[in-house]
Amino acid sequence: MFFVDVIELEGLGNRSYLAGGESTAVAVDPPRDIDQVLAAAARRGVRISHVVETHIHNDYVTGGLELARITGAAYLVPAGANVSFARTPVSDADTVDVDTEAGLTLTAVATPGHTPHHTAYVLGEAGRPVAAFTGGSLLIGTVGRPDLVEPRMTEQLARAQYASAHRLADALPDGTAVLPTHGFGSFCSSAQADGDATTIGREKAANTALTVDVDTFVAELLAGLEDVPAYYAHMGPANATGPEPVDLTPPATADPQEIAARLAAGEWVVDLRNRVAFAEGHVAGSFNFEADGKLATYLAWMIPWGKPVTLLAESPAQLAAAQRELVRVGIDRPAAAATGGPEAWLRDGERPASFPRATFARLAAEGTEEAVVLDVRRDSERAGGWIEGSVHIPVHEVHRRLGEVPDGIVWVHCAGGMRAGIAASLLDAAGRQVVAVDDGFDAAAEAGLTVVTG
C-alpha cells in the first residue's frame, strides 16, 4: 500500500506532496517552511529518503535543500537546472526506490515547457503507475505558463509544454492520479480551472493541451498570459543559489513611536487585519494586506524588493501565520511587528484614520458623474465587462501609478472586495479621499450601473 499526503499552500495556490509506504517516503516540491513536511512524515511514522524538485521554482522559495540536509535524504534536482549546491542530478527515465517493501519506485519523466529542465515524477507500485507528480507541466484543465524563463523562448517552451502533456497522457494509464504543484490559484498556471483532483483520463477529455492541435493550443495559451508577479524575478535565483534556513521566531516589537518613525522613513507598515476593520480605523499611512487574502502574492508583488516591512496584526497567531506565508516568497524577517489594534499602535493624542466602504448600489444611487471609479481587476477580468467611464489600473500597479488617478473622490472596486481594500489603503495613505467598494462585480449591473462589454 502507498499513501500520498497533500501539503496545501493555499495563499500561493500551490501544493507539495509526501508519498511513500510503511517505512520511507519522498517529498515533492516542498515549501520553505519544512516543518509541515516533517510533521506529516512523523504522523505517518516514515523516514524521508528522497526530496525531489520538478523544476527550479519561479513563484516560491523551496525548502528542498534544507529538508534534504536535515533528514539526510537524497536531493533530486533535474540535471538541466543550473544550481550552485550539491544535489543528485536527475535525467529522463532515472528511477529510484522509495520503499522497497511496498514496491514503490519513482521514475523521472522529462517534461520541458514550464521550464526547459522541467521533470515530472511517476510513482509506481509493483511496476504499475499510480500517480504522476506533474509540477508545472500537466495541471488540472490547463498547463503551467511557459513565459517565466526568457521572452524569446516562450513560444518554443509552449510547444514543448504541449509535447510534454501528450507524452504523459500517452505513457500513463487513464486511472493515474495527476498531482500538480501549481494550478490552485497560482500565477504559475497559464489559466485557472475548477476542481482539486484529476486523472490522466479526465485530462485527456478536458485539458486543452490534449484536446486541440498544437498551433491552436499555442496561440490560445500565449494570448491568455497575464502579468507576471514582480517578485518572481527573485525566486529563481534564490532557489538556484540554495535558500537559507528560515527563522520564524517573532520579530522585535514596535511601539507607537517606532511605528511612526518607520512610516516617516518611508518604510512599509502593513496592517494584516481584515478590510472591514482596517477601513473603520487604522494607523494613517499604513497599507492593508489581509492575512486571510493572498498576502504573500500581493505584498511581495507590490513592495519594492528589500524594503523593510513592519507587520501589524490583531493577534500573535495572525502574525505568526503571516510570517510563515512571507518566508515562502523570500520576505524572511519583518523589521518589526505589533499586535492588538490602532489603540495600541498610535501615539498619545493621535486618532485612527478611516474611510467608508460601500456597495455598487450606493455608487449607483449617488451617481458616477462626479465620482472617479477605479477598477483594479486584471486585464482579463475587465475584458469581460467594465463600468462605463471607469479608470483601469490593476492593483499591482496602483502604488506606482497613483499620479494617474484623476482628482476627486475615488470609488475603488475589484471583483469581490479584497483587492479594492488594498488599493483603497494605498490611496488613503497618499492622502486621497477614497471609498472602498466591498461588493461582487455582478452587483454592478444589477444596481443599474452601465456595464460595457465588447
Side-chain angles (χ1 to χ4, degrees), residues 275 290 357-358 360 375-377 381 412-421 436-443:
R275 58 185 181 270
E290 291 181 296
R357 296 165 48 251
F360 283 111
D375 181 349
V376 297
R377 296 174 300 159
E381 295 173 290
V412 57
H413 79 86
C414 58
M418 185 269 289
R419 288 171 293 171
V437 179
D438 200 349
D439 203 356
F441 186 70
D442 289 345

Side-chain angles (χ1 to χ4, degrees), residues 56-418:
I56 299 300
H57 305 283
N58 287 291
D59 63 329
Y60 71 93
V61 181
T62 181
L65 183 63
E66 179 67 2
L67 181 61
R69 184 188 70 81
I70 286 179
T71 61
Y75 190 26
L76 278 56
V77 178
N82 185 18
V83 298
S84 57
F85 50 81
R87 88 290 190 200
T88 301
V90 177
S91 299
D92 187 48
D94 285 353
T95 300
V96 297
D97 292 325
V98 175
D99 191 307
T100 304
E101 292 184 8
L104 294 180
T105 58
L106 197 71
T107 301
V109 181
T111 47
H114 187 48
T115 66
H117 61 266
H118 192 283
T119 300
Y121 298 89
V122 176
L123 183 68
E125 183 183 40
R128 178 179 63 94
V130 292
F133 300 102
T134 55
S137 54
L138 188 64
L139 311 184
I140 299 177
T142 184
V143 295
R145 59 193 299 169
D147 61 329
L148 302 179
V149 177
E150 157 62 53
R152 290 170 295 182
M153 294 180 66
T154 297
E155 182 173 347
Q156 172 190 338
L157 289 175
R159 293 182 179 277
Q161 191 74 298
Y162 181 89
S164 292
H166 279 264
R167 183 184 185 193
L168 290 170
D170 292 344
L172 299 174
D174 284 357
T176 307
V178 174
L179 303 173
T181 299
H182 305 312
F184 309 95
S186 168
F187 281 89
C188 264
S189 175
S190 62
Q192 300 305 324
D194 294 330
D196 59 3
T198 193
T199 62
I200 288 291
R202 291 176 187 168
E203 292 309 302
K204 283 182 178 179
N207 196 308
T208 54
L210 301 173
T211 57
V212 302
D213 65 89
V214 62
D215 290 332
T216 300
F217 167 79
V218 170
E220 292 179 352
L221 178 64
L222 299 187
L225 294 174
E226 297 195 81
D227 289 349
V228 177
Y231 69 92
Y232 277 25
H234 306 280
M235 301 296 97
N239 288 324
T241 301
E244 294 294 324
V246 299
D247 178 3
L248 291 174
T249 58
T253 300
D255 61 20
Q257 296 293 338
E258 182 177 352
I259 292 170
R262 290 188 177 279
L263 283 168
E267 297 182 9
W268 278 39
V269 174
V270 171
D271 190 325
L272 301 168
R273 297 174 302 147
N274 69 68
R275 58 185 181 270
V276 177
F278 183 87
E280 290 176 349
H282 55 269
V283 178
S286 62
F287 303 144
N288 182 217
F289 290 81
E290 291 181 296
D292 292 335
K294 295 179 76 68
L295 168 67
T297 294
Y298 284 107
L299 179 56
W301 194 340
M302 297 168 69
I303 190 171
W305 198 252
K307 182 175 281 290
V309 59
T310 295
L311 300 179
L312 306 180
E314 63 185 10
S315 68
Q318 186 180 68
L319 174 61
Q323 279 187 262
R324 184 176 290 273
E325 282 280 318
L326 294 176
V327 298
R328 294 171 181 162
V329 292
I331 300 177
D332 283 7
R333 292 295 296 168
T339 58
E343 66 281 354
W345 305 333
L346 292 167
R347 293 173 294 187
D348 290 343
E350 290 182 326
R351 295 179 59 83
S354 64
F355 54 78
R357 296 165 48 251
T359 62
F360 283 111
R362 180 178 160 193
L363 174 59
E366 298 204 8
T368 59
E369 293 79 9
E370 301 299 324
V372 176
V373 180
L374 176 62
D375 181 349
V376 297
R377 296 174 300 159
R378 297 190 302 275
D379 291 345
S380 62
E381 295 173 290
R382 185 170 171 89
W386 63 92
I387 295 172
E388 186 177 41
S390 61
V391 177
H392 180 225
I393 303 177
V395 68
H396 60 274
E397 299 179 10
V398 169
H399 189 250
R400 57 186 175 83
R401 295 176 61 187
L402 288 170
E404 298 177 31
V405 181
D407 293 337
I409 300 175
V410 184
W411 294 65
V412 57
H413 79 86
C414 58
M418 185 269 289

